[in-house]
Amino acid sequence: MQPGEKIGPILQILEQRYGEAHVTLDFANPLELLVATVLSAQCTDVKVNQVTPGVFKKYPTAAAYAAAPLKELEAAFHPTGFFRQKAKSIQGICRALEENYGGEVPASLEELVKLPGIGRKTANVILGNAFGIPGITVDTHLGRISQRLGLTTSKDPVKIEFDLMPLVPPDRWTKFSHQMIWHGRQICTAKKPQCPLCPLLPYCDYGQDATQGGH
Ligand code: SF4
């Protein structure tokens, strides 16, 4: 089945199964989501959510991160791992916000990706969830499942995003991203996809192959 033929039923099944899917990072404004997203690299959202209440209280503005001693930020981010890199990155982003955007997080993809270390994935997370502007977030789950379903043949996240954009209606982009991520965590895991239990099996190239003994 061609991607254009199966995307309708796939979206319907995802909606039935993961109607409540949402971003699992806690935040109250765009800056908090930006910081939480950077901290979530190589770390679980649960762990990030344990750390961020204290961090957000201590650093309520971009100016606060920009002015903080690096060592202090490193200590605050320590439980999330890769804390030196994350401290440097968040301070660099916040200094750029201070210098170029009056300390505010910009609400456009073009501006967000100009911030140091911010790629399209993070930019789309922020746009979709903090500003309500649709975006497809190609993380490891969404990329893997899109390939398995046969919605893309690409491995490059940006190409995958552009393959999916004409298939998925824009008003579903953000929700679709969460639903695919939840599906990747619950059923279509990297190492052991549960194809026989998967509601997307009838529309999945990999799953059809796997259940017929191909994998
Ligand atoms: Fe993933 Fe298997 Fe479901 Fe396809 S059928 S989406 S590979 S779990």
Side-chain angles (χ1 to χ4, degrees), residues 90-159:
I90 288 171
Q91 187 159 71
I93 291 166
C94 288
R95 285 185 174 163
L97 291 178
E98 277 294 289
E99 277 165 29
N100 305 320
Y101 302 98
E104 299 294 323
V105 178
S108 87
L109 187 70
E110 290 106 46
E111 298 303 322
L112 281 168
V113 296
K114 282 186 199 158
L115 294 169
I118 298 289
R120 293 183 67 94
K121 185 180 86 171
T122 303
N124 276 323
V125 169
I126 294 161
L127 285 178
N129 299 287
F131 293 112
I133 298 169
I136 297 180
T137 308
V138 185
D139 79 334
T140 173
H141 296 296
L142 191 139
R144 177 181 72 250
I145 302 168
S146 300
Q147 287 160 6
R148 287 176 175 172
L149 287 170
L151 298 177
T152 180
T153 52
S154 187
K155 289 199 168 118
D156 175 66
V158 177
K159 289 198 183 127

